[in-house]
Structures are given as structure tokens and as C-alpha cells.
Amino acid sequence: MLAAAVSGHVFASPSAKAVLAAIRAVAGKAGCLLIVYNYTGDKLQFGLAVEKAKSEGHQVEMVLVADDCSLPGQGVAGRRGIAGALLVTKIAGAAAAEGLSLKEVAAVANDTAKQCRSVGVATRICTLPGAAPSDRLGEDEMEVGMGLHAEPGASRQKMQSANDIVKLCIDCIQQDGAADLPAGCQAAMVVNNLGSTPVMEMYIAARAALRYAQDKHKVKVVRLYVGTFFTSLDMQGASISLLPVDSGRLARLDSPTQAPFWPKDKSIVVPDKPKLALPLPPNPQTQTSRPETLSEQGQLLEKALLNAAAAILHHAQELDDWDQRVGDGDCGTTLAQGAKAIRADCCKRYPLNDAAATMNAVAETVGHSMGGSSGALYQIFFVALAAALKETQTVDAWEQGAQAGLVAIQHYGGAKPGDRTMLDALAPAIESFCAKSRSGWHLTHAQSTVSNSTRRAVC
């Protein structure tokens, strides 16, 4: 793409001496093309270097990139050059590699620069090395058209969603370049990270930009480049560039290059494909319903489940408080989600007269309502418990099932009692449960026995 790049100090143009040294190093008989961002200092220093190089006998041409269309009017200095220079540089470099003359390459670059338009939005201003962070933008503010050196932009606005920010940028580009970007035209799009925007947010913006340009303005985006190409230190935000393309420009964009940050694939945009529905096969364990009449065991099981759910909900905040001291502070909240779901499903679909089927249903409930590692571990526990209750539903079977569930959690989770995990509460609860069962324990005592032993373990 480039034979040389010349940089100055932070946010300052390089000296004409440095530019001239680069020209001398890379300019052969074919000459040298300079692609310059349209900033006053850069124009002056590069322009001076061009004149000195010509006086030395070098063939030199200079093309200005001024793609920022966020500011109304051009003023004396003209528009600033921003991320659109990426496309200008790639196309010009490919044209040079094809063997075109210096004049022809300069014409290709100039035509590309004239038709490329960009708009950027910053949500946090960059921080100069050694300087304190700027407070110019509030936490709920963004600036449209902020310069790469943190120059004031076109407007400061309240923070908006990614979809709305993208609409603002593309509408501005389209309004400025309607003649170059008519409905039905093909275009290349660059979604550029200004410095420290997370990758996930970049692709959220890219998806929104692609859809809006195509659906609203009927511009067919055939190449989409998303990445960190043109940055301003740690500025947070993104810019969007659009360039109309024909077969010639596409071929040059797609031509191979050794530039390390140019996307290695061709970034071809393929049409959205319809989503393929993949219905899950029916699971007999989850196709359950509440019996019209509950047996004595069904009534006891319902009471135990509802009481346990109520106890969890009552102590949810207390559990969160404890978890904040040793973890991420959401233990009670997560358990409460499962408790609410169990309470709802218990009244609608649990086959309470069948303990094994009910435990399988409880496993499904906690799995989809709690999520994360805790949801999976509790689901493993209830599945193991259900397996022990298939043949018989005696107190001994409940004891064996609880112990099997505990073993399964340790096997798949990798923890053991004493590791400061849920096992430190669950293991003593099951131990107390089993001890009571050996001394004539009855299902109706479940709540007080398990709750008291668990509280002692936690405390």
C-alpha cells in the first residue's frame, strides 16, 4: 500500500526535512505520490518537501484527502482528512502496482478522495501522554465530527444508541454525497475504531450501519471493513466512511497487500440468509402437567417445594450481602430467579404425584431460569436425584439421590467441600438430611432441617 510513512510528534505534522528524507529513500525513476491528510500543518510541511524534492529532480505528486463531511461548509482550511484515507491509499497502491504512471496513479487517488465521505462520533476524548483525562464530554454525552486531535466537532449531543448514532452518520454522508451515492449504487464501507472502542461494540455498529445504508438509502454495500485503522490515541468512538465503487475500484481493494492491518480476506458482504429453524425433539421429561388431584405424597412435595422457594426469596438479599464479601454479589439474586420459576411451574406443570418426574422438571426449571454455572450445577444435582427416585420413592431413595447429586456436582464442577463454593452449604444440608432419614425422618420436616443446617454452614 505504502512505501513509507512519515509521522511527527503527537498531534503535530512531521517536519519538511523528515518528509524529504522519506521521498529520497523511496522515490525511483517512476516518481513518488504523497497522500496527505488535509490539515494545515501537514499541507505546509509536505508541500514544502514536495517543492524541495522537485528541485532535486524527483517526480512528485501530492493528493489531499478531505473526507470529513460532518462540518457544514469548508472554510479556509477545507475539510479534514480522516479514515477515508484508508481506501484512497489502498486503491492508489494497487494502481501503482499495476504499473500506471505517476500522473495516472495521482488521478486515481484524487478521484477516490473526492468521492469518499466520512463522519465520526466520539464518546470519550483522547488523553495526551502525561496529561490528565479530559472532562469536556460528560458520561452521557457524545460529540459528532470531533477532530482526530480532539478539535471541536459539529455538535455535542446526549448519548444515543448504536442504531441512532449510525443513522446520524450515514444520513450526514448521504446528504452531502447524494450525487455520488444514489440509490442502487455499490459502495465500500469502513467502520473505524477511533482508539479504544470494544470490538463487540464495533461490530454492533457495523451491523447497524450495513443494514441502515442498504435498507434506508438503498446503497448496496459490497465491501465492509471493520477494525482499528485510523486512531486518535485512546479516544472512544467510531467513524463511518462510504465510497462508491465500480469493478475497477473493487479489483484494487481486493488486490493482495502485505500491509499488516489490512483485512486478510476480501471483506465481501454476502446477503443475509434466512434463519434455519431447528426445533428440538420433544422431551418426555419436560412434557408434564400438574395432576388434577394430588396424592398425599404430591401434597407434601408441593409444600416442600413452595416452602423452599419462599425461604430463598425471603433470604435473597442476605445471600447477596454474604456473596459480596467473597464473590460477585449475585448469589441471592440468582437463586431467587430459580425460586420464582419453581414457584410458578409448581402451580402449573409439575407432575407432583411422581417425585422422579417432578425432580426432572425442577432440573429443567433451574437450568433455564438461573443460567450460568450455578444453574448448570443445580440442574445436574436434580437430574441425579431424579434418577435415584425412578424405581422407588422412599426416604432411602431420597437420601441416595441427594448423595448422588452431591457427587455429580463435585465430579463436573471440580470443587469439594471446603473450597468456598455452594458445596460448603449443600454438603452439610445433605448430611443433616441423611442423618434425620436414618432416625425416622419424614418429608414434612424437610424445610426446617435443611434450612437450619445450611444456615449453620454459611455462618
Side-chain angles (χ1 to χ4, degrees):
M1 289 174 66
L2 292 173
V6 191
S7 59
H9 294 295
V10 177
F11 293 166
S13 60
S15 66
K17 182 178 181 181
V19 177
L20 181 58
I23 295 173
R24 290 168 176 166
V26 302
K29 292 182 179 180
C32 178
L33 173 67
L34 277 64
I35 299 175
V36 181
Y37 302 101
N38 188 33
Y39 290 88
T40 301
D42 293 281
K43 284 196 298 183
L44 293 174
Q45 297 292 349
F46 277 83
L48 177 57
V50 167
E51 295 305 316
K52 288 185 175 182
K54 286 180 177 180
S55 69
E56 295 178 2
H58 295 288
Q59 295 187 63
V60 185
E61 295 286 342
M62 187 171 87
V63 171
L64 289 174
V65 180
D67 55 311
D68 186 352
C69 63
S70 63
L71 294 171
Q74 298 183 13
V76 176
R79 292 177 168 176
R80 298 177 291 216
I82 51 176
L86 175 75
L87 299 175
V88 177
T89 303
K90 179 64 175 69
I91 290 172
E98 294 170 9
L100 273 64
S101 68
L102 176 60
K103 292 288 185 182
E104 290 171 327
V105 174
V108 167
N110 196 49
D111 289 344
T112 304
K114 286 180 178 179
Q115 289 192 306
C116 188
R117 290 169 174 82
S118 305
V119 175
V121 174
T123 57
R124 189 183 69 200
I125 296 176
C126 57
T127 305
L128 289 172
S134 172
D135 59 356
R136 194 170 103 200
L137 282 181
E139 289 293 327
D140 61 341
E141 291 182 322
M142 65 181 195
E143 192 158 325
V144 180
M146 180 184 292
L148 266 295
H149 309 154
E151 304 97 332
S155 64
R156 188 181 303 179
Q157 303 180 19
K158 289 293 183 182
M159 187 71 72
Q160 300 177 30
S161 68
N163 287 344
D164 290 334
I165 292 174
V166 161
K167 290 178 183 178
L168 187 153
C169 292
I170 294 180
D171 285 345
C172 181
I173 291 172
Q174 188 65 19
Q175 182 178 2
D176 185 80
D180 292 325
L181 294 165
C185 76
Q186 292 188 329
M189 176 183 287
V190 177
V191 182
N192 171 63
N193 191 337
L194 292 178
S196 63
T197 306
V199 173
M200 180 177 67
E201 293 184 12
M202 288 299 301
Y203 279 96
I204 290 172
R207 180 181 61 183
L210 177 64
R211 289 179 176 175
Y212 187 71
Q214 297 188 150
D215 296 344
K216 172 66 176 178
H217 294 289
K218 309 304 178 186
V219 173
K220 185 178 181 182
V221 179
V222 293
R223 297 293 185 274
L224 175 61
Y225 306 99
V226 184
T228 305
F229 305 117
F230 191 76
T231 64
S232 178
L233 300 177
D234 62 341
M235 183 180 288
Q236 197 162 37
S239 65
I240 296 175
S241 304
L242 277 173
L243 171 71
V245 294
D246 54 17
S247 59
R249 282 180 179 169
L250 284 178
R252 287 166 178 159
L253 288 172
D254 293 344
S255 65
T257 176
Q258 295 180 345
F261 284 98
W262 182 261
K264 299 307 177 185
D265 60 15
K266 294 182 179 180
S267 301
I268 297 174
V269 177
V270 298
D272 285 340
K273 296 180 179 179
K275 293 182 179 179
L276 180 62
L278 295 174
L280 294 173
N283 184 347
Q285 294 180 348
T286 60
Q287 304 299 311
T288 57
S289 60
R290 178 185 173 90
E292 293 184 4
T293 303
L294 294 181
S295 64
E296 181 181 1
Q297 178 175 301
Q299 293 175 17
L300 292 174
L301 186 54
E302 179 183 44
K303 181 178 180 180
L305 287 170
L306 293 177
N307 285 347
I312 290 173
L313 293 172
H314 179 72
H315 293 287
Q317 184 57 55
E318 182 182 355
L319 290 168
D320 276 345
D321 293 342
W322 280 103
D323 192 33
Q324 285 178 352
R325 305 184 186 188
V326 295
D328 53 8
D330 68 345
C331 175
T333 300
T334 302
L335 287 171
Q337 291 173 347
K340 290 176 183 177
I342 288 173
R343 187 172 60 183
D345 287 348
C346 189
C347 299
K348 295 178 181 179
R349 69 178 192 87
Y350 285 171
L352 295 163
N353 292 340
D354 184 337
T358 300
M359 291 301 101
N360 271 320
V362 170
E364 293 294 326
T365 298
V366 298
H368 73 72
S369 63
M370 295 174 63
S373 56
S374 58
L377 290 172
Y378 282 120
Q379 189 169 13
I380 288 170
F381 174 83
F382 284 112
V383 167
L385 176 58
L389 296 173
K390 282 186 176 180
E391 299 299 328
T392 178
Q393 300 180 3
T394 62
V395 172
D396 287 342
W398 281 93
E399 176 185 338
Q400 294 169 10
Q403 291 175 331
L406 185 64
V407 170
I409 286 179
Q410 294 181 76
H411 174 72
Y412 290 105
K416 60 184 182 299
D419 287 344
R420 300 178 73 180
T421 68
M422 66 168 68
L423 291 174
D424 292 343
L426 188 59
I430 292 174
E431 181 182 348
S432 178
F433 176 90
C434 294
K436 291 291 184 179
S437 71
R438 300 187 193 102
S439 60
W441 182 85
H442 193 268
L443 186 61
T444 54
H445 302 134
Q447 181 187 356
S448 60
T449 299
V450 174
S451 297
N452 290 336
S453 59
T454 301
R455 177 176 289 277
R456 288 194 297 271
V458 172
C459 298

